[in-house]
Amino acid sequence: MTQHSSAPAPGTAPAARPDATAAGKPAGWWRDAVIYQVYPRSFADGNGDGMGDLAGVRARLPYLAELGVDAVWLSPFYASPQADAGYDVADYRAIDPMFGDLHDADALIRDAHRLGLRIIVDLVPNHSSDRHEWFRRALREGPGSPLRDRYHFRPGRGPDGAEPPNDWESIFGGPAWTRTKNPDGSPGEWYLHLFAPEQPDFNWENEAVRDEFRSVLRFWLDMGVDGFRIDVAHGMVKAAGLPDMGRTGQLKLLGSQVLPFFDQDGVHEIYRSWRRILDEYPGERIGVAEAWTPSPDRTALYLRPDELHQAFNFHYLNTGWNAEALRAVIDESLDSMRPVGAPATWVLSNHDVVRHRTRLGGGLRRARAASLLMLALPGSAYVYQGEELGLPEVTDLPDEVRQDPSFFRDNGQDGLRDGCRVPIPWTRTGTSYGFGSGGSWLPQPPEWSGLSVEEQTGDPGSTLELYRRALAVRRGHPALGAGDGVEWLAEYPAGVLAFRRRAADGSTFVCTVNTTGQPVELPAVPGRVLLASGEYDGSGTLPADTTVWWTA
C-alpha cells in the first residue's frame, strides 16, 4: 500500500510557507491563529465518487483564504483500510487512494502556502492499523517474533490463557484485548487495542517505534507541512506492568483522572524529542496535542517550552451555555497556560462531538453568540468545517448508512459521530449540494440547500458572512488575538459575561455575552459596536443569546 515513489523528486524544494513577520504579525504565528479543521472525506469531492479527497480540498482552498483563517488542519488521509475513518493507518508515508496520492498532497501544500495558509496534518502515533506491515508480520511470525515487541502482545490469564491479560476496556466498547491465532491455528496471545480491534496499540517502550515516528515526522516536514495534530497524544505510554483498573465503566473516567493507559508522565519524554525535530526546520513548525486530561494544569504539562505548542481545550468544549461556568473555565484555561508560556486554545466543534449549534441548545442564535465569544478570547481558535455555515448535527441518519465503528459495538461511545461528519453543502442545488458530482457518502438533509456557501455568500445576515467579518475584525483589531488574560467587568448582571482586552496602543475591546433566554439591560454602553451575533438596535438592551463586540 505504499506510494513512496510518488513523493516529490529528491532535491525538490519544499513549498514556500507564509511569512508571519512579513504579514505584520510577530513570531509565534500559532499564538493567535484561527485554524480550520478539514475532515477530508466530507469537505469536497474532486473526482465524483461520492467521497471527499485532496483534490477537492485543494480546489476549495481559495474559499478558506477568503474566509480569513490562518491554517488548515487535515484529518487523516493516509493509506488505511478505513476501519475508523482513517485513524487506523497502514502506511504513514502514503496517501490512501480514496484521497489521491502524494502528488496531490504536495500540490495542496504548495497551493495553500501561495494563498497564505499553513497546513497541519493529523498524526496517529498511539496505534496503527492491523494491516500495517509490522503487525501483519508479527502475526505471521508468531510468539517470540521481535515485531511483537513493537505492540502489546501478552499471554492470557486463566485456564489455557482464555481470559484477557487485564481488565482494560476499549473506548469503542468491550475488552481492550483481542486474542490471536498462532500460525498453526491454535489459540495464541492477546494484543492491546484501546480503540477498535483493527487498531493495535504501539509499544512506545520499543526504540524501533520511536525511531519510526521520528522518521515519519521528518518525511512530512520535508514535504512542507507546518505542523502536526497528534491524535490521542495522552495515550502512547502505558503504566508499567499494565495493571488492572479494578472496575468497569472505564469510559466514564476519561478526562477525570490519570489512568494506567492515558496521561502517563512518560509521554513527555517523547514530545521533547519531537520538539527538537520541529525546531530544526524553518518557518515555526508546530505540534498540537489532542490530550484528554483531568485538568487544564495537566494539559499544560504537554506545552512546556521544550514540548508541544498547543493543546485542544476540551474543558472549554465541554462547558455548557452558562455564564458562571464559562467564566470559570476561561479563567482556569488562561491561568494554567500562563506558567508555561503557551497560548490557550478554544474550540466548539470537531469531527468527534455533536455540532455546537445542536449541543448547546438554543439553535442558530445561540451558536452564533458562542462563536463570537470564542473568537474574542485570547489565544488560538479552531473552527470545524461547516461551523461557519451554522450547520446543525444530523440526528436522523438511518442505521443502514452509519459508518462510525463504535455504532456497531456495545458499551462504548454512543456511535453517533456520523451526524457531525455529513458532507457540507456548497451550492443550492445538485445531487450533493456542490460537494461533488456523484452524490455523497452520507445523505445530506434537504434543508441544507439554504445553508450552502452559495446561498449565504453576500447575505449580510448569514452565518458565513458573520464569520468572515469576525475573522477580519479579529485580524485587524490590536486588542484581539494573542494574549494571556482578560479583564472581567463586574458591574454586569447575572447571566452576562463581559470582559475587556487592552492593546499596547491604548485601544480597548469589550465583549458582552447574554447567556440568558431574556433581554438584559446593560449598565452602560461600552463603546462603539464592532459586530453583533444577532440583531442589536444599538440601545442598552442586550438581546437573549447574543454577543456584541465593542471598541473604544
Side-chain angles (χ1 to χ4, degrees):
M1 300 180 70
T2 60
Q3 298 169 342
H4 303 163
S5 61
S6 297
T12 301
R17 66 188 36 75
D19 185 338
T21 303
K25 301 176 72 174
W29 63 270
W30 66 89
R31 293 186 174 277
D32 65 350
V34 176
I35 300 173
Y36 186 98
Q37 181 191 357
V38 165
Y39 192 68
R41 62 174 55 208
S42 299
F43 189 67
D45 173 15
N47 62 7
D49 66 356
M51 186 69 68
D53 48 40
L54 295 184
V57 177
R58 182 187 176 196
R60 297 294 188 178
L61 287 174
Y63 164 80
L64 297 178
E66 182 183 358
L67 182 62
V69 300
D70 300 291
V72 179
W73 153 36
L74 296 163
S75 292
F77 46 67
Y78 307 108
S80 167
Q82 303 297 319
D84 184 22
Y87 283 93
D88 50 318
V89 180
D91 189 336
Y92 290 85
R93 299 177 183 82
I95 308 297
D96 194 281
M98 69 186 294
F99 296 124
D101 58 28
L102 284 171
H103 287 303
D104 293 311
D106 180 61
L108 188 157
I109 294 166
R110 291 175 181 274
D111 281 5
H113 288 167
R114 280 193 287 269
L115 289 166
L117 298 168
R118 298 176 188 266
I119 294 292
I120 296 170
V121 298
D122 234 308
L123 189 65
V124 189
N126 179 71
H127 48 262
S128 74
S129 165
D130 62 352
R131 305 287 182 85
H132 192 288
E133 184 57 29
W134 283 4
F135 192 76
R136 296 171 68 184
R137 282 183 54 197
L139 293 181
R140 288 197 306 268
E141 295 175 9
S145 167
L147 271 297
R148 293 205 168 196
D149 190 51
R150 300 181 186 184
Y151 296 90
H152 293 278
F153 282 87
R154 296 289 188 276
R157 298 195 290 197
D160 303 317
E163 298 296 325
N166 69 20
D167 66 358
W168 293 359
E169 296 171 353
S170 165
I171 306 304
F172 288 165
W177 296 89
T178 290
R179 197 171 193 183
T180 67
K181 288 186 177 180
N182 291 322
D184 64 4
S186 62
E189 296 178 317
W190 298 71
Y191 69 88
L192 176 68
H193 53 86
L194 291 177
F195 294 87
E198 297 88 352
Q199 295 170 290
D201 280 45
F202 283 116
N203 173 17
W204 275 84
E205 302 302 321
N206 185 287
E207 195 58 36
V209 174
R210 298 188 178 219
D211 285 344
E212 169 66 1
F213 275 90
R214 285 191 286 261
S215 174
V216 169
L217 289 175
R218 292 184 186 281
F219 178 87
W220 289 103
L221 290 168
D222 289 342
M223 283 276 288
V225 304
D226 299 284
F228 302 90
R229 176 267 188 184
I230 302 160
D231 184 62
V232 195
H234 54 296
M236 289 127 76
V237 172
K238 279 65 173 177
L242 310 185
D244 281 336
M245 281 285 296
R247 60 161 293 174
T248 58
Q250 296 163 22
L251 182 64
K252 298 177 181 178
L253 302 177
L254 298 183
S256 66
Q257 64 186 68
V258 177
L259 303 175
F261 46 80
F262 280 162
D263 197 29
Q264 292 288 307
D265 290 338
V267 298
H268 300 291
E269 178 187 350
I270 297 168
Y271 296 132
R272 283 191 286 272
S273 73
W274 287 14
R275 179 59 178 264
R276 290 192 290 271
I277 293 173
L278 292 169
D279 287 348
E280 290 174 11
Y281 285 78
E284 297 184 310
R285 321 292 180 96
I286 70 168
V288 181
E290 183 212 28
W292 288 89
T293 69
S295 68
D297 287 339
R298 290 289 301 182
T299 300
L301 297 178
Y302 292 76
L303 306 178
R304 288 172 286 194
D306 60 345
E307 294 191 41
L308 301 174
H309 299 76
Q310 286 186 350
F312 290 146
N313 190 345
F314 293 116
H315 305 281
Y316 182 76
L317 183 150
N318 287 325
T319 302
W321 189 242
N322 175 277
E324 185 177 354
L326 285 165
R327 175 170 174 170
V329 76
I330 290 166
D331 279 341
E332 190 177 25
S333 299
L334 293 169
D335 289 347
S336 63
M337 295 297 109
R338 206 172 290 120
V340 295
T345 65
W346 315 100
V347 60
L348 291 170
S349 295
N350 64 37
H351 66 289
D352 280 334
V353 301
V354 174
R355 286 186 177 274
H356 72 273
R357 171 174 172 175
T358 301
R359 189 182 73 252
L360 294 177
L364 181 59
R365 184 181 189 90
R366 182 171 295 176
R368 288 163 59 104
S371 297
L372 281 199
L373 168 59
M374 176 185 75
L375 293 171
L377 294 169
S380 179
Y382 281 78
V383 174
Y384 178 51
Q385 64 178 43
E387 179 181 321
E388 78 280 12
L389 303 177
L391 297 185
E393 185 83 356
V394 181
T395 58
D396 58 354
L397 289 170
D399 289 357
E400 60 269 19
V401 306
R402 293 190 178 277
Q403 300 191 33
D404 183 348
S406 62
F407 179 76
F408 304 99
R409 294 171 63 84
D410 295 329
N411 304 316
Q413 294 177 331
D414 60 20
L416 303 179
R417 295 179 297 174
D418 292 316
C420 64
R421 301 176 178 184
V422 174
I424 66 174
W426 293 92
T427 59
R428 298 184 183 95
T429 60
T431 60
S432 61
Y433 304 111
F435 170 68
S437 59
S440 69
W441 66 283
L442 284 173
Q444 300 154 299
E447 59 268 25
W448 279 21
S449 170
L451 295 173
S452 66
V453 173
E454 181 182 27
E455 178 71 20
Q456 296 196 45
T457 295
D459 176 0
S462 72
T463 303
L464 175 57
E465 295 299 345
L466 175 69
Y467 267 77
R468 285 172 172 164
R469 292 195 303 275
L471 294 179
V473 172
R474 191 180 194 275
R475 185 183 294 267
H477 197 291
L480 283 171
D484 65 1
V486 298
E487 176 189 346
W488 295 107
L489 304 179
E491 63 269 24
Y492 285 79
V496 174
L497 278 174
F499 61 85
R500 179 184 291 116
R501 299 185 60 190
R502 300 180 186 273
D505 65 1
S507 61
T508 62
F509 167 89
V510 172
C511 179
T512 57
V513 188
N514 181 2
T515 68
T516 75
Q518 302 295 327
V520 173
E521 289 296 321
L522 300 178
V525 174
R528 175 174 59 86
V529 173
L530 286 171
L531 193 60
S533 65
E535 294 183 3
Y536 173 65
D537 61 10
S539 70
T541 301
L542 187 60
D545 290 331
T546 299
T547 297
V548 178
W549 288 3
W550 317 75
T551 191

